[in-house]
Amino acid sequence: MKIRFAKPNQLLSPYIERYWSWENEGNDSCYLPHVPPGVGIDLYFHYKDTFSIQDIGGLAHSHLLYSKDQSYRILPSTRVGFIVIRFRCGMFGNFTLVPSHEFADAFVDANMIWKTEGKQLEEQVGTAKTLEERINLLEVFLMRQLGRYQKSVPNYWKEVMDILYYHHEDARLDDLARQIRITPRHFRRVFYEFSGITPKHFQQLSRFRAVLKPLLLNNNSDYLPVALDKGYFDQMHFIKEFKRFMNITPTSFFIPDNFQAHFYYSSFNN
């Protein structure tokens, strides 16, 4: 499996974390990830076979992969080839008028989001010959949509999201509300409008991701020390939340296939 990464241009980088692509280089069936819920949105464009999701079926050639509550198991495939736009938390709303929460678990395609322009982009990306050509098509399109839909959001909301995402174990929602001089109720409402998710659930998913990511990146199945370090009370607390989000136990999930195939990547700064 060939995996490649690219940074967005300077104007898009506040909204997009990276572009990344997977491509199967052989003819063998490729094991694909069991995708956990998360706080970010990925937009996929397939130029080979599309994903088939267990209990759901085949997806379109372009689609969002965004769930706030449940995991999805992507079935193995022999012809894997796609490029992905990974949006930063809460930033997808700068490219469309549709609220982010309406996209959760819907697998909407580019045509459903941007109508004819989205369908044309899907077709152009599907026929492009190189990664560089695909990225150029995406950036031209994204810059056009950003010019239309960019929202004026106070910088402190981005800071709040960073605090909840990177320092979830210490952050207190009422304290954050006081710091920006609004009521806790107003804080929760505006946060949901900005991100498509409640701040409490955002915290829970950020904590879960903070455990899952380093374990998968480091091929480490000894989850308990990491879970305790990230704010879980004890082993049963983590197992309960793991089963809630993944529908299986940690022991069942941390197997060689899942260490080899997942969608977590190290930061570009590492």
Side-chain angles (χ1 to χ4, degrees), residues 91 94 151-161 180 182 186 190 194:
M91 295 295 107
N94 291 282
K151 294 174 176 58
S152 178
V153 178
N155 286 333
Y156 59 71
W157 281 112
K158 298 175 184 178
E159 295 172 4
V160 163
M161 294 192 75
I180 57 179
I182 61 175
H186 186 57
V190 177
F194 179 54

Side-chain angles (χ1 to χ4, degrees), residues 142-157:
L142 290 167
M143 288 297 297
R144 186 163 61 247
Q145 304 312 317
L146 183 64
R148 293 172 177 168
Y149 303 117
Q150 184 180 19
K151 294 174 176 58
S152 178
V153 178
N155 286 333
Y156 59 71
W157 281 112

Side-chain angles (χ1 to χ4, degrees), residues 39-106:
V39 297
I41 292 179
D42 280 357
L43 176 56
Y44 290 72
F45 290 87
H46 296 264
Y47 49 89
K48 293 187 180 180
D49 290 348
T50 63
F51 287 157
S52 184
I53 305 292
Q54 188 175 25
D55 300 325
I56 293 175
L59 303 184
H61 280 277
S62 65
H63 61 84
L64 292 181
L65 195 56
Y66 171 48
S67 173
K68 300 180 293 184
D69 299 294
Q70 59 183 312
S71 65
Y72 291 104
R73 192 184 299 274
I74 306 175
L75 300 179
S77 175
T78 56
R79 296 185 69 252
V80 178
F82 59 79
I83 183 170
V84 184
I85 307 167
R86 175 157 289 175
F87 293 90
R88 297 187 185 277
C89 298
M91 295 295 107
F92 188 74
N94 291 282
F95 300 90
T96 176
L97 290 175
V98 184
S100 296
H101 66 85
E102 295 189 13
F103 296 130
D105 304 307

Side-chain angles (χ1 to χ4, degrees), residues 165-230:
Y165 188 70
Y166 294 108
H167 307 286
H168 49 272
E169 67 275 17
D170 299 319
R172 298 294 180 266
L173 301 182
D174 289 354
D175 291 343
L176 290 174
R178 281 193 291 270
Q179 288 174 24
I180 57 179
R181 296 184 174 87
I182 61 175
T183 66
R185 181 177 180 182
H186 186 57
F187 176 91
R188 287 163 175 79
R189 181 180 64 79
V190 177
F191 188 95
Y192 184 79
E193 291 176 355
F194 179 54
S195 67
I197 188 171
T198 67
K200 185 64 175 178
H201 194 54
F202 187 98
Q203 257 185 310
Q204 291 171 343
L205 285 173
S206 297
R207 179 179 61 189
F208 183 69
R209 174 200 175 279
V211 177
L212 200 58
K213 178 178 178 178
L215 291 172
L216 291 176
L217 288 177
N218 294 301
N219 197 25
N220 177 18
S221 61
D222 187 14
Y223 62 82
L224 185 56
V226 182
L228 295 175
D229 181 63
K230 299 302 181 181

Side-chain angles (χ1 to χ4, degrees), residues 11-48:
L11 293 175
L12 289 172
S13 62
Y15 311 94
I16 294 167
E17 194 271 334
R18 73 177 70 199
Y19 307 104
W20 56 281
S21 69
W22 272 36
E23 191 164 315
N24 192 6
E25 296 182 299
N27 297 317
D28 295 333
S29 180
C30 177
Y31 185 90
L32 290 170
H34 186 168
V35 183
V39 297
I41 292 179
D42 280 357
L43 176 56
Y44 290 72
F45 290 87
H46 296 264
Y47 49 89
K48 293 187 180 180

Side-chain angles (χ1 to χ4, degrees), residues 112-132:
M112 296 171 68
I113 304 170
W114 295 292
K115 310 302 180 186
T116 301
E117 283 185 290
K119 183 63 177 177
Q120 290 173 343
L121 176 65
E122 176 188 294
E123 294 170 350
Q124 291 169 347
V125 173
T127 57
K129 302 301 181 183
T130 66
L131 176 64
E132 292 72 25

